[in-house]
Amino acid sequence: MKIGIIGASGYTGQELLRILVRHPKVEIAYATSERFAGSALDEVFPSFKGILDLQFRKLSAPNIARDVDVIFTALPHGQSMDVVAECIKKGKKVVDLSADFRLKDAALYERWYGKHSCPNLLSEAVYGLPEIYRDEITRAQLVANPGCYPTATILALAPLVEGGMIAPTGIIVDAKSGVSGAGRSPSMTNLFGEVAEGLKAYSVANHRHCPEMEQELSLRTGKGVHILFVPHLIPINRGILSTCYASANEALSTAKASEAFQRRYGTEPFIRLLPSGAFPSTREVRGSNYCDLGVMVDDGSGQVIVISAIDNLVKGASGQAVQNMNIMCGFPEAMGLEQIPLAP
Amino acid sequence: MKIGIIGASGYTGQELLRILVRHPKVEIAYATSERFAGSALDEVFPSFKGILDLQFRKLSAPNIARDVDVIFTALPHGQSMDVVAECIKKGKKVVDLSADFRLKDAALYERWYGKHSCPNLLSEAVYGLPEIYRDEITRAQLVANPGCYPTATILALAPLVEGGMIAPTGIIVDAKSGVSGAGRSPSMTNLFGEVAEGLKAYSVANHRHCPEMEQELSLRTGKGVHILFVPHLIPINRGILSTCYASANEALSTAKASEAFQRRYGTEPFIRLLPSGAFPSTREVRGSNYCDLGVMVDDGSGQVIVISAIDNLVKGASGQAVQNMNIMCGFPEAMGLEQIPLAP
Amino acid sequence: MKIGIIGASGYTGQELLRILVRHPKVEIAYATSERFAGSALDEVFPSFKGILDLQFRKLSAPNIARDVDVIFTALPHGQSMDVVAECIKKGKKVVDLSADFRLKDAALYERWYGKHSCPNLLSEAVYGLPEIYRDEITRAQLVANPGCYPTATILALAPLVEGGMIAPTGIIVDAKSGVSGAGRSPSMTNLFGEVAEGLKAYSVANHRHCPEMEQELSLRTGKGVHILFVPHLIPINRGILSTCYASANEALSTAKASEAFQRRYGTEPFIRLLPSGAFPSTREVRGSNYCDLGVMVDDGSGQVIVISAIDNLVKGASGQAVQNMNIMCGFPEAMGLEQIPLAP
Amino acid sequence: MKIGIIGASGYTGQELLRILVRHPKVEIAYATSERFAGSALDEVFPSFKGILDLQFRKLSAPNIARDVDVIFTALPHGQSMDVVAECIKKGKKVVDLSADFRLKDAALYERWYGKHSCPNLLSEAVYGLPEIYRDEITRAQLVANPGCYPTATILALAPLVEGGMIAPTGIIVDAKSGVSGAGRSPSMTNLFGEVAEGLKAYSVANHRHCPEMEQELSLRTGKGVHILFVPHLIPINRGILSTCYASANEALSTAKASEAFQRRYGTEPFIRLLPSGAFPSTREVRGSNYCDLGVMVDDGSGQVIVISAIDNLVKGASGQAVQNMNIMCGFPEAMGLEQIPLAP
């Protein structure tokens, strides 16, 4: 099967290449980059030297539609929607890694991201979290790959929300992310000298991944879920840790909460539940598609604490995109995603 | 004035030396280290070469009491209380950086730290947070220097608790600390290879700094303050960021909360209030005695978010200890603490 | 084929597990750890949760010899030789990752490491650098896996030494290593707080990997090769960069030197020669078995500069050990070693 | 005395501010930034909040010349020369931190940096290394502040070159620098994600700091000194380590070399000679104006190894600039430069 990657010279593009180049069922036929068109892949990413012989091209939607079967779009939000619409029209399967098709409500999209050029596609797009929408993804032509923070957070809270075990409001999510989440475009905010040996919050109670989490968790419970979301920037390359706090309904214990997670995720290939009292670390999922989860009910405060860890570039972006492609194409779901976490 | 430092070869000892060696009113007369007794300071800490000529000695309480006027104890908890008691008996002023005299309730101390050998001193010790106990410190013979997490957290919450602007229960503190907080004794948990490029929570809802925060905040309001405290380990050398969430009482706005902070801390030499919408970063206080604070009321959730940043080795330990010494000895409070934050 | 790993709870053990667990021809039957005997693998290394169900055992040479076909010893030098000797006696194939069988001269071994208990095995052991000893490894029962610095350095200099293109003396190797090379045993020297944001040389002109390099390069040329070796500690987890300087024989140009490398390594699966003017970075080999090489002749000084980059835990230890096992057992040489470098 | 800083929003500007704001003899009257003109200092550098109330202005040479007594120019090379010339014409003292006045030979300048607009000033400028040109600096109107690599390297080699103890050619300098040396302008090369957990050489045998070192060392000996210079980028914020190799003249021993350093630098306020066998670490000079030096003669190779460590932003730039100002203005040389190294 022939694969095209639109916007392949950023970090999620690089990570798609890393995973797909060893995938037994696909061939990477096409990779675009406006910045590096004409350059060989191994000039832009020397880590691929001797592994993949490929040249970045300029984006040309007709060519893509002609030459490839499945398309990954790894463009910034706003730049993705038009090329996605064209590929969909040509009958191609698309996994879009931007935010352009994640929100169901066009007005909500506009408030956070700007004008949408093809709102009619919003209802057609399937939100690409396999642990929730596996069946829908099987039949989808367009998958909206979730954001990194929403992946970590929705997986942490879904079992409790679905089981009515926590109050849907008053939820606090204190999240921490490595710097690769900010992308590969040079800016003052992601310079080594501005980030290393530092630690800070940003977009406090005002991050555009929040409506995405609320949408999906509300759909799980039928009630409006409200989250206070505070992300922090941490000087590591890869990793998100999402520390979630919610009011436990009465009679919830750590044991019962753990059972709910076990029931919900027991057969999931990429979710690992830690034993009681243990909490995850990003280094133990780095480079892999795992989401590690630890849960505890604190009797004193009546809060449930769930902590999730993912690699933001894998389960939080490109790994999950390949997982979605596998489901869409009828391949084994874990194919190409067998990487063991790299520690140290 | 002659100064002695007991337990000077750890990170807080090293930091006391860094600050005191340039303090115009004191002479470092005595520094002990069991591990490095007999070694020159600049063998153990080569950064002091050419700056301070000193030899580490074995601890000998009688000598200390004889040779020095003011004593800093920077020993692990449990090892500090006996030497402190002896110095107090000899009439010396003591700033104790351990946890041994921070809790007022001996039973509570025992639950978290073990048996206390001189519980009678607990009531005599003054909790060394100058922004709260400045007058008491002026008259104190024994100051219990606060823990790093409690310093960051109490300063973040005191104005709101005192003004009755938040509910005393349901408070969540999601704190993040650099690795120097774990001390300088070799252990698997603070190896570079186990920490770098990682990110995790630890002692979830079970950290011994929590009763210290609750004690002090409860004293501010007369009601029992309850905190759910979740610390995280971050791969940086120095810095604590304390992200605090509390239920705002009705009618509290960001502007009113900011005014409360301004009123409470407006003349404090080491507290810096950030403008509305801004939140602090640890890199902007590194190496200095500042505590930077940002505050916001989130209308959607009804929560107040206060974020504080300190250098855990300075305002969170040795800088604050020197600030306390200055107050106890009648020196200008900021003397020796004029270091500009080191960024990058 | 059943595999045993002796000393599996250090970083090279962990890395052997990471590679071998996905190797299609082997089963990890046995892993020992004195420190963690009785513990499950995923307690000691949570990154393996859900991937490999294994319990660390105490070392028992008879059991190993009975239960496994091929043995990796990842013990500290001095502790390896006796268990290796016993396994060899029982007819097992062994790849020893310690220094115990690398030097051919027992007296030289004793000068750097201490008494050797089975010097007779030194001549039998094959030095496990496949790019040089591939044929001998095919027939070997005991392979002495090279040190990390020697791997990077010998690969950088062998083509020039063999071709008589550089003077055999006056060679300077300025090497830089990540912290995982110092192992996983807690000590002051590898604490995060002592290493992060630092940079220093150590064992200047006095490192025990130097005789290993000199031995092997001397064997390549028949003349005594002398190296001045200065290693440096760099605050990264993984990676060695070896910057080598040697006097070019007259008429050597960058082009000719590059040709020599091309001729020597053109078909090697794990050596990547960079284009003229380019030099390698450790991040572009991280997690992979590649050795990247860049070479240049500086006309002004008459020096050849060769820079090599490896992941010290992969090509510098466990990856190379698996490469050796593949050769010894007749498996395809790159089997199980297809990992793409992980960047960022 | 009134001070102006031209180009104050980069890292060397920030560091000048950090040092000068506590200098007892000066007042910072003027700071320019084209990027941030109109912004308050503490918006651009929040670490200065509550410390210095200042607004960045656009560069206006007439105003500067009118309002200030001494000028620091911290502009990129090529942008500095014209404003310097104007200030000199107005009779002001200038310390220029760019490369524009370091080379004595205009043709050499042009080869590495481009056209020079006022070559006549090259002979007037004094090279601002106080350990060599203290007397000349006393009388200078224009000081060309040395580059960071040249500072570390010239200090490491001057005593040996001056004493004729090493061959003037065949010198190899393998240098390592933290990322702040690359400046604060956003570019792909200094992004956190491109630098962290990496390690590489750059500008191999082709760095423009090399002619500066050769010029100054040649002047020390009267012979042409030739250096092969290979810089490396290290993922730390601050610090340069310069590892220098040179052929020892016969009969040179470690003891004799150490004596030469002791004789040459024994009374220098900012040079610290380490005891025999010890070598410096950048963490032990971080934030301070020290240059730490270790020296050894290796009998086997006949090479002298000298390793120097500086903070590239202090002794390698702004600290040295203030040291030069102190000398030019008749202040005590170490005034304002008493910072203790910050470790960890």
Side-chain angles (χ1 to χ4, degrees):
Chain A
M1 220 180 56
K2 291 192 168 171
I3 293 291
I5 303 173
I6 314 305
S9 65
Y11 289 137
T12 54
Q14 181 180 18
E15 194 69 359
L16 279 169
L17 290 162
R18 183 178 75 93
I19 297 169
L20 290 169
V21 76
R22 289 283 185 259
H23 192 290
K25 296 282 194 186
V26 311
E27 177 199 346
I28 301 168
Y30 202 94
T32 79
S33 166
E34 302 309 296
R35 246 194 300 180
F36 298 106
S39 297
L41 169 61
D42 63 5
E43 280 174 68
V44 178
F45 296 130
S47 56
F48 284 94
K49 189 173 162 53
I51 295 171
L52 182 60
D53 193 17
L54 194 81
Q55 203 178 41
F56 284 119
R57 310 191 199 175
K58 277 205 171 303
L59 172 59
S60 152
N63 287 1
I64 297 168
R66 192 191 60 211
D67 297 348
V68 305
D69 305 307
V70 174
I71 291 147
F72 293 90
T73 41
L75 297 167
H77 64 86
Q79 296 178 26
S80 200
M81 49 181 95
D82 290 332
V83 63
V84 166
E86 182 144 353
C87 295
I88 291 294
K89 214 161 52 190
K90 305 267 185 189
K92 305 293 169 181
K93 289 183 198 292
V94 177
V95 181
D96 177 40
L97 284 85
S98 85
D100 283 0
F101 298 95
R102 293 178 193 156
L103 297 177
K104 294 300 172 194
D105 176 347
L108 191 61
Y109 180 89
E110 290 194 14
R111 212 170 86 208
W112 289 93
Y113 296 98
K115 193 76 188 159
H116 205 294
S117 66
C118 43
N120 58 306
L121 278 177
L122 291 179
S123 60
E124 199 181 305
V126 173
Y127 191 73
L129 203 52
E131 290 77 7
I132 291 181
Y133 293 108
R134 185 166 285 119
D135 288 351
E136 293 83 347
I137 297 166
T138 310
R139 299 182 298 268
Q141 191 191 350
L142 170 56
V143 164
N145 210 58
C148 48
Y149 285 128
T151 296
T153 303
I154 298 168
L155 291 175
L157 292 173
L160 300 173
V161 162
E162 292 173 356
M165 293 171 188
I166 55 173
T169 59
I171 298 172
I172 292 172
V173 174
D174 188 294
K176 296 98 184 161
S177 174
V179 185
S180 64
R184 200 169 175 242
S185 295
S187 91
M188 182 81 75
T189 55
N190 50 359
L191 291 188
F192 186 90
E194 301 296 304
V195 170
E197 278 284 310
L199 178 53
K200 66 172 178 186
Y202 67 99
S203 301
V204 173
N206 191 34
H207 192 283
R208 54 197 181 199
H209 278 178
C210 192
E212 190 182 330
M213 299 172 203
E214 291 180 338
Q215 165 186 289
E216 290 303 319
L217 289 170
S218 296
L219 286 168
R220 306 263 67 65
T221 175
K223 294 177 197 155
V225 168
H226 185 277
I227 291 175
L228 171 54
F229 180 66
V230 180
H232 297 74
L233 186 67
I234 308 292
I236 60 174
N237 278 316
R238 290 167 174 252
I240 281 182
L241 197 79
S242 190
T243 311
C244 307
Y245 306 89
S247 287
N249 286 349
E250 48 181 308
L252 188 63
S253 63
T254 300
K256 281 187 190 169
S258 297
E259 279 167 37
F261 277 86
Q262 187 58 43
R263 241 181 353 257
R264 184 64 174 78
Y265 293 140
T267 60
E268 283 296 337
F270 293 116
I271 301 218
R272 302 193 297 189
L273 306 173
L274 301 190
S276 191
F279 287 95
S281 164
T282 58
R283 68 197 298 274
E284 285 146 16
V285 298
R286 183 170 52 214
S288 83
N289 202 45
Y290 290 111
C291 175
D292 282 6
L293 289 166
V295 62
M296 178 193 236
V297 175
D298 175 55
D299 291 331
S301 62
Q303 294 277 315
V304 196
I305 306 149
V306 191
I307 307 184
S308 60
I310 60 170
D311 183 322
N312 57 302
L313 294 179
V314 191
K315 185 63 178 169
S318 305
Q320 185 147 267
V322 172
Q323 189 181 356
N324 281 319
M325 178 201 75
N326 284 338
I327 300 172
M328 293 165 90
C329 298
F331 304 147
E333 188 170 332
M335 186 173 265
L337 295 166
E338 303 87 352
Q339 295 85 0
I340 310 287
L342 191 75
Chain B
M1 221 181 55
K2 291 193 169 170
I3 292 291
I5 303 172
I6 314 305
S9 65
Y11 288 137
T12 54
Q14 180 180 18
E15 195 69 0
L16 280 169
L17 290 163
R18 182 177 77 92
I19 296 168
L20 290 169
V21 76
R22 289 285 185 258
H23 192 290
K25 295 282 195 188
V26 312
E27 176 199 346
I28 301 168
Y30 202 94
T32 79
S33 166
E34 303 309 298
R35 249 195 297 180
F36 298 106
S39 296
L41 170 60
D42 63 5
E43 280 173 68
V44 177
F45 296 130
S47 57
F48 285 94
K49 190 174 163 54
I51 296 170
L52 182 59
D53 193 16
L54 193 82
Q55 204 180 40
F56 284 119
R57 309 191 200 176
K58 278 206 171 303
L59 171 60
S60 149
N63 288 1
I64 297 167
R66 193 191 59 213
D67 297 347
V68 305
D69 304 307
V70 175
I71 291 149
F72 293 90
T73 40
L75 297 168
H77 64 85
Q79 297 177 27
S80 199
M81 49 181 97
D82 289 332
V83 62
V84 166
E86 181 144 352
C87 295
I88 291 294
K89 214 160 53 188
K90 306 266 185 187
K92 306 294 168 178
K93 288 183 200 290
V94 178
V95 180
D96 178 39
L97 285 85
S98 85
D100 283 0
F101 298 93
R102 294 177 193 156
L103 297 177
K104 295 298 172 197
D105 176 347
L108 191 61
Y109 180 89
E110 291 195 12
R111 212 169 85 208
W112 289 93
Y113 296 98
K115 193 75 190 160
H116 205 294
S117 66
C118 42
N120 58 307
L121 278 177
L122 291 178
S123 60
E124 197 181 307
V126 173
Y127 191 74
L129 203 52
E131 290 78 7
I132 292 182
Y133 293 107
R134 185 166 284 117
D135 289 350
E136 292 83 345
I137 296 165
T138 311
R139 300 182 299 266
Q141 189 191 353
L142 170 56
V143 164
N145 210 59
C148 48
Y149 285 127
T151 295
T153 303
I154 297 167
L155 291 174
L157 292 173
L160 300 174
V161 162
E162 292 173 356
M165 294 170 188
I166 55 172
T169 59
I171 298 171
I172 292 173
V173 175
D174 188 293
K176 297 95 183 162
S177 174
V179 186
S180 63
R184 201 171 174 243
S185 295
S187 89
M188 182 83 73
T189 55
N190 50 1
L191 291 189
F192 186 90
E194 302 296 303
V195 170
E197 279 283 309
L199 179 51
K200 66 171 180 186
Y202 68 99
S203 303
V204 173
N206 191 33
H207 191 284
R208 55 198 182 201
H209 279 178
C210 191
E212 189 181 330
M213 301 171 198
E214 292 181 337
Q215 164 186 291
E216 289 304 317
L217 289 170
S218 296
L219 287 168
R220 307 264 65 65
T221 176
K223 292 178 199 154
V225 168
H226 184 276
I227 292 175
L228 170 53
F229 180 65
V230 180
H232 297 73
L233 186 68
I234 307 294
I236 60 174
N237 277 316
R238 290 167 175 254
I240 280 181
L241 198 78
S242 190
T243 311
C244 307
Y245 305 90
S247 288
N249 285 348
E250 47 182 310
L252 189 63
S253 63
T254 300
K256 282 188 190 167
S258 297
E259 279 167 38
F261 277 87
Q262 187 57 45
R263 241 179 357 253
R264 184 62 174 81
Y265 293 138
T267 60
E268 282 296 335
F270 294 115
I271 300 218
R272 303 194 296 190
L273 304 173
L274 302 190
S276 192
F279 287 96
S281 164
T282 58
R283 70 197 295 275
E284 286 146 15
V285 298
R286 184 172 50 216
S288 82
N289 201 46
Y290 290 112
C291 175
D292 281 7
L293 288 167
V295 62
M296 176 194 239
V297 174
D298 175 56
D299 291 331
S301 62
Q303 295 276 315
V304 197
I305 305 149
V306 191
I307 306 185
S308 59
I310 59 169
D311 183 322
N312 57 302
L313 294 180
V314 190
K315 185 63 177 170
S318 306
Q320 185 147 269
V322 172
Q323 189 180 356
N324 282 319
M325 178 201 75
N326 285 338
I327 300 172
M328 292 164 91
C329 298
F331 304 145
E333 187 170 331
M335 184 172 268
L337 294 167
E338 302 87 354
Q339 296 85 0
I340 310 287
L342 190 76
Chain C
M1 221 181 58
K2 292 193 168 170
I3 291 291
I5 303 172
I6 314 305
S9 65
Y11 288 138
T12 53
Q14 181 180 18
E15 195 69 359
L16 279 169
L17 290 163
R18 183 177 76 94
I19 296 169
L20 291 170
V21 76
R22 288 284 185 257
H23 192 289
K25 296 282 194 188
V26 310
E27 177 200 344
I28 302 168
Y30 203 95
T32 80
S33 165
E34 303 308 297
R35 248 194 298 180
F36 297 105
S39 297
L41 169 61
D42 63 5
E43 281 173 68
V44 177
F45 296 130
S47 57
F48 284 95
K49 191 174 161 53
I51 295 171
L52 182 59
D53 193 17
L54 193 81
Q55 203 179 41
F56 284 119
R57 309 191 199 175
K58 278 206 171 301
L59 172 60
S60 150
N63 289 1
I64 297 167
R66 192 191 60 212
D67 297 348
V68 305
D69 304 307
V70 175
I71 291 148
F72 294 90
T73 39
L75 297 167
H77 64 85
Q79 296 177 27
S80 199
M81 49 181 94
D82 290 331
V83 61
V84 167
E86 180 144 353
C87 295
I88 290 295
K89 214 161 52 189
K90 304 267 184 186
K92 305 294 167 180
K93 288 183 198 293
V94 178
V95 180
D96 178 41
L97 284 86
S98 85
D100 283 358
F101 298 95
R102 293 177 193 157
L103 297 177
K104 294 300 174 195
D105 176 347
L108 192 61
Y109 180 90
E110 290 194 13
R111 210 168 88 208
W112 289 94
Y113 295 99
K115 193 76 189 160
H116 205 294
S117 66
C118 43
N120 57 306
L121 278 177
L122 292 178
S123 59
E124 199 181 306
V126 173
Y127 191 73
L129 203 52
E131 291 77 8
I132 292 182
Y133 293 106
R134 186 166 284 117
D135 289 351
E136 292 83 347
I137 296 166
T138 311
R139 298 182 299 267
Q141 189 192 352
L142 170 56
V143 165
N145 210 58
C148 49
Y149 285 127
T151 295
T153 303
I154 297 168
L155 290 175
L157 292 174
L160 300 173
V161 162
E162 292 173 357
M165 293 170 189
I166 55 172
T169 59
I171 299 171
I172 292 173
V173 175
D174 188 293
K176 297 94 183 162
S177 174
V179 186
S180 64
R184 200 169 175 243
S185 295
S187 90
M188 183 81 76
T189 55
N190 51 0
L191 291 189
F192 187 91
E194 302 296 304
V195 170
E197 278 283 310
L199 178 52
K200 65 172 180 186
Y202 67 100
S203 302
V204 173
N206 191 33
H207 192 284
R208 55 197 180 198
H209 278 178
C210 192
E212 191 182 328
M213 301 173 200
E214 292 180 337
Q215 164 186 290
E216 289 304 317
L217 289 169
S218 297
L219 286 169
R220 307 263 65 67
T221 177
K223 293 177 198 157
V225 168
H226 184 275
I227 292 175
L228 170 54
F229 180 67
V230 180
H232 297 75
L233 186 68
I234 307 293
I236 60 173
N237 278 316
R238 288 167 176 254
I240 281 181
L241 198 79
S242 190
T243 310
C244 307
Y245 305 90
S247 287
N249 285 350
E250 48 182 308
L252 189 64
S253 64
T254 299
K256 281 188 190 168
S258 297
E259 278 167 37
F261 277 86
Q262 187 58 45
R263 241 180 355 254
R264 183 64 174 80
Y265 293 140
T267 60
E268 283 296 337
F270 293 115
I271 301 217
R272 303 193 297 189
L273 305 174
L274 301 190
S276 193
F279 288 95
S281 164
T282 58
R283 69 196 297 274
E284 286 147 14
V285 298
R286 184 170 51 213
S288 83
N289 202 46
Y290 290 112
C291 174
D292 282 6
L293 289 167
V295 61
M296 177 193 237
V297 174
D298 175 56
D299 291 332
S301 63
Q303 294 277 314
V304 196
I305 305 149
V306 191
I307 306 185
S308 60
I310 60 170
D311 183 322
N312 57 301
L313 294 179
V314 190
K315 185 64 177 169
S318 306
Q320 184 146 270
V322 172
Q323 189 180 356
N324 281 318
M325 178 201 74
N326 285 339
I327 300 172
M328 292 166 90
C329 298
F331 304 146
E333 188 170 330
M335 184 173 268
L337 295 167
E338 303 86 354
Q339 296 85 0
I340 311 287
L342 191 76
Chain D
M1 218 180 56
K2 289 192 171 172
I3 292 291
I5 303 173
I6 314 304
S9 65
Y11 288 137
T12 53
Q14 181 180 17
E15 195 69 0
L16 279 169
L17 290 163
R18 182 177 77 92
I19 296 169
L20 291 169
V21 77
R22 289 284 185 259
H23 192 290
K25 296 281 194 189
V26 311
E27 176 198 347
I28 302 168
Y30 202 94
T32 79
S33 165
E34 302 309 296
R35 248 193 298 180
F36 298 105
S39 296
L41 169 61
D42 63 5
E43 280 172 70
V44 178
F45 297 130
S47 57
F48 285 94
K49 191 174 162 52
I51 295 171
L52 182 60
D53 194 16
L54 194 82
Q55 204 178 41
F56 284 119
R57 309 190 199 177
K58 278 204 171 302
L59 172 60
S60 151
N63 288 2
I64 297 168
R66 191 192 62 210
D67 297 348
V68 304
D69 305 306
V70 175
I71 290 148
F72 293 90
T73 40
L75 296 167
H77 63 86
Q79 296 178 28
S80 200
M81 50 181 93
D82 290 332
V83 63
V84 166
E86 182 143 352
C87 295
I88 291 294
K89 214 160 54 189
K90 306 266 184 186
K92 305 293 169 179
K93 289 182 198 292
V94 178
V95 181
D96 178 40
L97 285 84
S98 85
D100 283 0
F101 298 95
R102 294 177 193 157
L103 297 178
K104 294 298 171 196
D105 176 349
L108 191 62
Y109 180 88
E110 290 195 13
R111 211 170 85 209
W112 288 93
Y113 296 98
K115 193 75 191 157
H116 205 293
S117 65
C118 42
N120 58 306
L121 278 178
L122 291 179
S123 60
E124 198 181 308
V126 173
Y127 191 74
L129 203 52
E131 291 77 6
I132 292 181
Y133 293 107
R134 186 167 282 118
D135 288 351
E136 292 83 344
I137 297 166
T138 310
R139 300 181 298 268
Q141 189 191 354
L142 170 56
V143 164
N145 210 56
C148 49
Y149 285 128
T151 296
T153 303
I154 298 167
L155 291 175
L157 291 174
L160 300 174
V161 162
E162 292 173 356
M165 293 172 191
I166 55 172
T169 59
I171 298 172
I172 292 171
V173 174
D174 187 294
K176 296 95 185 162
S177 173
V179 185
S180 64
R184 200 170 174 244
S185 295
S187 90
M188 182 82 74
T189 55
N190 51 0
L191 291 189
F192 186 90
E194 302 296 304
V195 170
E197 278 284 310
L199 178 53
K200 65 172 180 187
Y202 67 99
S203 301
V204 172
N206 191 33
H207 192 283
R208 56 198 182 201
H209 278 178
C210 192
E212 189 181 331
M213 301 172 201
E214 291 179 339
Q215 164 186 289
E216 289 305 317
L217 289 170
S218 297
L219 286 168
R220 307 262 67 65
T221 176
K223 293 178 198 154
V225 168
H226 184 276
I227 292 175
L228 170 54
F229 180 65
V230 180
H232 297 74
L233 186 66
I234 307 293
I236 61 175
N237 278 316
R238 290 167 176 254
I240 280 182
L241 197 80
S242 190
T243 311
C244 307
Y245 305 90
S247 287
N249 286 348
E250 49 182 307
L252 188 63
S253 63
T254 300
K256 282 187 190 167
S258 296
E259 279 167 36
F261 277 87
Q262 187 57 45
R263 242 180 355 254
R264 183 65 175 78
Y265 293 140
T267 60
E268 283 297 336
F270 293 115
I271 300 218
R272 304 193 296 189
L273 305 173
L274 301 191
S276 191
F279 288 95
S281 164
T282 58
R283 70 196 296 274
E284 285 146 16
V285 298
R286 182 170 54 215
S288 83
N289 201 46
Y290 291 112
C291 174
D292 281 5
L293 289 166
V295 61
M296 177 195 236
V297 175
D298 175 55
D299 293 331
S301 63
Q303 294 278 313
V304 196
I305 306 150
V306 191
I307 306 183
S308 59
I310 60 170
D311 182 322
N312 57 302
L313 294 179
V314 191
K315 184 63 177 169
S318 307
Q320 185 147 269
V322 173
Q323 189 180 355
N324 281 318
M325 177 201 76
N326 284 339
I327 300 172
M328 292 164 90
C329 297
F331 304 146
E333 188 170 331
M335 185 174 267
L337 295 167
E338 304 85 354
Q339 296 85 1
I340 310 288
L342 191 75

